[in-house]
Amino acid sequence: MKKFLAIYMGGASSFEKSGWNNLNEQERKQREQAGMEGWQKWVQENEVSIVDLGTPLGKTKRISVQGIVDTKNELGAYTIVQAESHEAAAKIFENHPHFTIFPGESVEIMECLPLPEM
C-alpha cells in the first residue's frame, strides 16, 4: 500500500462562497454539529485506510534566506491515508464533510514518496 497526504484546503473566501458567514448562531451550531457527525461517520467508514487522522493546522511562518515571516495560506488540516493508487486515495475523500457540510474548499491528495537513497 502507498501512503498519501491529504490536505484540507479553505480560507476566508471559502466562508464567503459557502454563505457560512451569513448563518445565524443557531444555524452555524447546527451545521457544525452535522459536520462533526459527518466527519465521524467518514472516519468510521474509512478507518482501515487512515494511517494518521491528522489535526487542524495553525498559523504559518515562512522561513527562507530572507528570514522568518508570518504568512497566510489556505491549508486547513491534514490526514494521511493508505491506498493502492492515487485514484483510490482520492476516492476516499469524495463527498467529504469538509466541503459538503463545512465551508472547506477542497481536499488535495499527494503521494508520500520514499526518500532517495543517500
PDB file of all heavy atoms in Angstrom, residues 9-26:
ATOM      1  N   MET A   9      -8.188  22.089   2.155  1.00  0.00           N
ATOM      2  CA  MET A   9      -7.978  23.456   1.699  1.00  0.00           C
ATOM      3  C   MET A   9      -9.220  24.308   1.995  1.00  0.00           C
ATOM      4  O   MET A   9     -10.349  23.833   1.894  1.00  0.00           O
ATOM      5  CB  MET A   9      -7.715  23.478   0.193  1.00  0.00           C
ATOM      6  CG  MET A   9      -6.561  22.574  -0.247  1.00  0.00           C
ATOM      7  SD  MET A   9      -4.969  23.044   0.411  1.00  0.00           S
ATOM      8  CE  MET A   9      -4.725  24.596  -0.429  1.00  0.00           C
ATOM      9  N   GLY A  10      -8.976  25.569   2.313  1.00  0.00           N
ATOM     10  CA  GLY A  10     -10.068  26.505   2.507  1.00  0.00           C
ATOM     11  C   GLY A  10      -9.577  27.721   3.260  1.00  0.00           C
ATOM     12  O   GLY A  10      -8.742  27.610   4.143  1.00  0.00           O
ATOM     13  N   GLY A  11     -10.071  28.852   2.890  1.00  0.00           N
ATOM     14  CA  GLY A  11      -9.680  30.093   3.537  1.00  0.00           C
ATOM     15  C   GLY A  11     -10.871  31.005   3.692  1.00  0.00           C
ATOM     16  O   GLY A  11     -12.031  30.569   3.615  1.00  0.00           O
ATOM     17  N   ALA A  12     -10.593  32.261   3.867  1.00  0.00           N
ATOM     18  CA  ALA A  12     -11.662  33.251   4.070  1.00  0.00           C
ATOM     19  C   ALA A  12     -12.659  33.238   2.917  1.00  0.00           C
ATOM     20  O   ALA A  12     -13.870  33.360   3.130  1.00  0.00           O
ATOM     21  CB  ALA A  12     -11.053  34.634   4.241  1.00  0.00           C
ATOM     22  N   SER A  13     -12.176  33.058   1.691  1.00  0.00           N
ATOM     23  CA  SER A  13     -13.083  33.053   0.538  1.00  0.00           C
ATOM     24  C   SER A  13     -14.043  31.869   0.587  1.00  0.00           C
ATOM     25  O   SER A  13     -15.164  31.960   0.095  1.00  0.00           O
ATOM     26  CB  SER A  13     -12.295  33.059  -0.766  1.00  0.00           C
ATOM     27  OG  SER A  13     -11.555  31.861  -0.909  1.00  0.00           O
ATOM     28  N   SER A  14     -13.619  30.761   1.192  1.00  0.00           N
ATOM     29  CA  SER A  14     -14.499  29.592   1.318  1.00  0.00           C
ATOM     30  C   SER A  14     -15.706  29.898   2.195  1.00  0.00           C
ATOM     31  O   SER A  14     -16.815  29.451   1.919  1.00  0.00           O
ATOM     32  CB  SER A  14     -13.737  28.411   1.913  1.00  0.00           C
ATOM     33  OG  SER A  14     -12.643  28.065   1.128  1.00  0.00           O
ATOM     34  N   PHE A  15     -15.468  30.668   3.263  1.00  0.00           N
ATOM     35  CA  PHE A  15     -16.569  31.048   4.153  1.00  0.00           C
ATOM     36  C   PHE A  15     -17.555  31.950   3.418  1.00  0.00           C
ATOM     37  O   PHE A  15     -18.763  31.843   3.598  1.00  0.00           O
ATOM     38  CB  PHE A  15     -16.018  31.736   5.406  1.00  0.00           C
ATOM     39  CG  PHE A  15     -15.383  30.796   6.382  1.00  0.00           C
ATOM     40  CD1 PHE A  15     -14.070  30.384   6.218  1.00  0.00           C
ATOM     41  CD2 PHE A  15     -16.095  30.309   7.456  1.00  0.00           C
ATOM     42  CE1 PHE A  15     -13.472  29.501   7.112  1.00  0.00           C
ATOM     43  CE2 PHE A  15     -15.515  29.422   8.365  1.00  0.00           C
ATOM     44  CZ  PHE A  15     -14.196  29.024   8.183  1.00  0.00           C
ATOM     45  N   GLU A  16     -17.026  32.836   2.581  1.00  0.00           N
ATOM     46  CA  GLU A  16     -17.890  33.742   1.799  1.00  0.00           C
ATOM     47  C   GLU A  16     -18.690  32.960   0.768  1.00  0.00           C
ATOM     48  O   GLU A  16     -19.911  33.115   0.673  1.00  0.00           O
ATOM     49  CB  GLU A  16     -17.041  34.817   1.110  1.00  0.00           C
ATOM     50  CG  GLU A  16     -16.524  35.888   2.035  1.00  0.00           C
ATOM     51  CD  GLU A  16     -17.621  36.704   2.697  1.00  0.00           C
ATOM     52  OE1 GLU A  16     -18.645  37.011   2.042  1.00  0.00           O
ATOM     53  OE2 GLU A  16     -17.461  37.020   3.889  1.00  0.00           O
ATOM     54  N   LYS A  17     -18.017  32.124  -0.027  1.00  0.00           N
ATOM     55  CA  LYS A  17     -18.672  31.364  -1.096  1.00  0.00           C
ATOM     56  C   LYS A  17     -19.767  30.454  -0.566  1.00  0.00           C
ATOM     57  O   LYS A  17     -20.798  30.285  -1.194  1.00  0.00           O
ATOM     58  CB  LYS A  17     -17.652  30.524  -1.856  1.00  0.00           C
ATOM     59  CG  LYS A  17     -16.723  31.292  -2.734  1.00  0.00           C
ATOM     60  CD  LYS A  17     -15.760  30.315  -3.405  1.00  0.00           C
ATOM     61  CE  LYS A  17     -14.565  31.022  -3.983  1.00  0.00           C
ATOM     62  NZ  LYS A  17     -13.571  30.074  -4.491  1.00  0.00           N
ATOM     63  N   SER A  18     -19.526  29.846   0.586  1.00  0.00           N
ATOM     64  CA  SER A  18     -20.477  28.884   1.140  1.00  0.00           C
ATOM     65  C   SER A  18     -21.652  29.544   1.847  1.00  0.00           C
ATOM     66  O   SER A  18     -22.619  28.873   2.185  1.00  0.00           O
ATOM     67  CB  SER A  18     -19.765  27.966   2.129  1.00  0.00           C
ATOM     68  OG  SER A  18     -19.401  28.693   3.295  1.00  0.00           O
ATOM     69  N   GLY A  19     -21.550  30.852   2.108  1.00  0.00           N
ATOM     70  CA  GLY A  19     -22.594  31.536   2.855  1.00  0.00           C
ATOM     71  C   GLY A  19     -22.478  31.318   4.356  1.00  0.00           C
ATOM     72  O   GLY A  19     -23.365  31.720   5.117  1.00  0.00           O
ATOM     73  N   TRP A  20     -21.399  30.677   4.790  1.00  0.00           N
ATOM     74  CA  TRP A  20     -21.197  30.361   6.205  1.00  0.00           C
ATOM     75  C   TRP A  20     -21.271  31.619   7.067  1.00  0.00           C
ATOM     76  O   TRP A  20     -21.851  31.600   8.150  1.00  0.00           O
ATOM     77  CB  TRP A  20     -19.848  29.665   6.376  1.00  0.00           C
ATOM     78  CG  TRP A  20     -19.613  29.075   7.737  1.00  0.00           C
ATOM     79  CD1 TRP A  20     -19.033  29.688   8.788  1.00  0.00           C
ATOM     80  CD2 TRP A  20     -19.947  27.770   8.177  1.00  0.00           C
ATOM     81  NE1 TRP A  20     -18.971  28.838   9.866  1.00  0.00           N
ATOM     82  CE2 TRP A  20     -19.528  27.652   9.516  1.00  0.00           C
ATOM     83  CE3 TRP A  20     -20.556  26.676   7.568  1.00  0.00           C
ATOM     84  CZ2 TRP A  20     -19.701  26.484  10.256  1.00  0.00           C
ATOM     85  CZ3 TRP A  20     -20.725  25.515   8.303  1.00  0.00           C
ATOM     86  CH2 TRP A  20     -20.309  25.436   9.632  1.00  0.00           C
ATOM     87  N   ASN A  21     -20.687  32.700   6.585  1.00  0.00           N
ATOM     88  CA  ASN A  21     -20.661  33.951   7.358  1.00  0.00           C
ATOM     89  C   ASN A  21     -22.050  34.569   7.521  1.00  0.00           C
ATOM     90  O   ASN A  21     -22.250  35.418   8.381  1.00  0.00           O
ATOM     91  CB  ASN A  21     -19.721  34.969   6.710  1.00  0.00           C
ATOM     92  CG  ASN A  21     -18.274  34.546   6.806  1.00  0.00           C
ATOM     93  OD1 ASN A  21     -17.905  33.729   7.644  1.00  0.00           O
ATOM     94  ND2 ASN A  21     -17.447  35.090   5.946  1.00  0.00           N
ATOM     95  N   ASN A  22     -22.999  34.151   6.686  1.00  0.00           N
ATOM     96  CA  ASN A  22     -24.351  34.696   6.763  1.00  0.00           C
ATOM     97  C   ASN A  22     -25.284  33.888   7.659  1.00  0.00           C
ATOM     98  O   ASN A  22     -26.431  34.279   7.869  1.00  0.00           O
ATOM     99  CB  ASN A  22     -24.957  34.786   5.354  1.00  0.00           C
ATOM    100  CG  ASN A  22     -24.178  35.725   4.456  1.00  0.00           C
ATOM    101  OD1 ASN A  22     -23.607  36.711   4.922  1.00  0.00           O
ATOM    102  ND2 ASN A  22     -24.129  35.416   3.183  1.00  0.00           N
ATOM    103  N   LEU A  23     -24.805  32.760   8.174  1.00  0.00           N
ATOM    104  CA  LEU A  23     -25.634  31.942   9.055  1.00  0.00           C
ATOM    105  C   LEU A  23     -25.760  32.605  10.420  1.00  0.00           C
ATOM    106  O   LEU A  23     -24.797  33.185  10.921  1.00  0.00           O
ATOM    107  CB  LEU A  23     -25.002  30.556   9.238  1.00  0.00           C
ATOM    108  CG  LEU A  23     -24.830  29.688   8.001  1.00  0.00           C
ATOM    109  CD1 LEU A  23     -24.058  28.416   8.359  1.00  0.00           C
ATOM    110  CD2 LEU A  23     -26.173  29.340   7.388  1.00  0.00           C
ATOM    111  N   ASN A  24     -26.939  32.490  11.005  1.00  0.00           N
ATOM    112  CA  ASN A  24     -27.055  32.971  12.385  1.00  0.00           C
ATOM    113  C   ASN A  24     -26.420  31.934  13.308  1.00  0.00           C
ATOM    114  O   ASN A  24     -26.063  30.835  12.884  1.00  0.00           O
ATOM    115  CB  ASN A  24     -28.512  33.287  12.760  1.00  0.00           C
ATOM    116  CG  ASN A  24     -29.407  32.059  12.782  1.00  0.00           C
ATOM    117  OD1 ASN A  24     -29.034  30.998  13.287  1.00  0.00           O
ATOM    118  ND2 ASN A  24     -30.612  32.194  12.232  1.00  0.00           N
ATOM    119  N   GLU A  25     -26.274  32.270  14.574  1.00  0.00           N
ATOM    120  CA  GLU A  25     -25.560  31.408  15.504  1.00  0.00           C
ATOM    121  C   GLU A  25     -26.175  30.019  15.601  1.00  0.00           C
ATOM    122  O   GLU A  25     -25.466  29.011  15.619  1.00  0.00           O
ATOM    123  CB  GLU A  25     -25.498  32.054  16.893  1.00  0.00           C
ATOM    124  CG  GLU A  25     -24.617  31.294  17.852  1.00  0.00           C
ATOM    125  CD  GLU A  25     -24.442  31.996  19.188  1.00  0.00           C
ATOM    126  OE1 GLU A  25     -24.704  33.212  19.279  1.00  0.00           O
ATOM    127  OE2 GLU A  25     -24.044  31.312  20.139  1.00  0.00           O
ATOM    128  N   GLN A  26     -27.495  29.950  15.652  1.00  0.00           N
ATOM    129  CA  GLN A  26     -28.170  28.651  15.759  1.00  0.00           C
ATOM    130  C   GLN A  26     -27.925  27.805  14.506  1.00  0.00           C
ATOM    131  O   GLN A  26     -27.620  26.615  14.605  1.00  0.00           O
ATOM    132  CB  GLN A  26     -29.670  28.836  15.980  1.00  0.00           C
ATOM    133  CG  GLN A  26     -30.409  27.518  16.133  1.00  0.00           C
ATOM    134  CD  GLN A  26     -31.903  27.705  16.327  1.00  0.00           C
ATOM    135  OE1 GLN A  26     -32.397  28.825  16.384  1.00  0.00           O
ATOM    136  NE2 GLN A  26     -32.624  26.611  16.422  1.00  0.00           N
TER     137      GLN A  26
END
